[in-house]
Amino acid sequence: MASLSFADILGAAASLLTLAAFMQRRMFPMRIAAIGANSFFIAYGAIGSIYPVLALHLILLPVNMTRFAGEFVRRRSGAASAPAPAASHPLCWMRSSRFAPSCACHP
């Protein structure tokens, strides 16, 4: 069995954190896992000289941190995010009234 390098361990940890981020149902824990995954992928890309991975996660980390900070401020202020209307279809904005006349967006 081949031994794992430190870069391999970082990559595996980053992959597990990405999986954890995808499995979250709530935004707050998803952002925490995504920030952790971005951090581990940055280390993985830097140590392994994998520049596309490094560049991608250097871009995604500030995005996730900004969105996390916004969610944190919203939670601290007590403002809940506005729920979607109950009658709207998740892909309603993509539908045209010609193809989906019964859609709540296009009566």
Side-chain angles (χ1 to χ4, degrees):
M1 181 173 163
S3 64
L4 294 175
S5 69
F6 183 63
D8 292 334
I9 294 169
L10 286 173
S15 298
L16 289 174
L17 282 168
T18 301
L19 179 62
F22 279 114
M23 294 179 67
Q24 299 304 313
R25 292 179 185 256
R26 307 207 60 122
M27 192 59 64
F28 204 70
M30 187 275 291
R31 293 286 178 202
I32 292 171
I35 289 169
N38 291 146
S39 301
F40 276 89
F41 269 123
I42 288 169
Y44 172 69
I47 290 173
S49 299
I50 307 169
Y51 300 115
V53 170
L54 179 61
L56 172 66
H57 291 282
L58 281 171
I59 293 167
L60 287 176
L61 181 61
V63 170
N64 279 317
M65 290 178 78
T66 302
R67 300 270 173 92
F68 176 77
E71 183 71 20
F72 186 76
V73 168
R74 267 191 300 283
R75 281 178 171 230
R76 292 286 295 218
S77 68
S81 56
S88 80
H89 186 276
L91 299 178
C92 190
W93 62 273
M94 293 176 62
R95 294 180 171 199
S96 109
S97 60
R98 183 170 52 140
F99 298 113
S102 63
C103 182
C105 298
H106 305 102

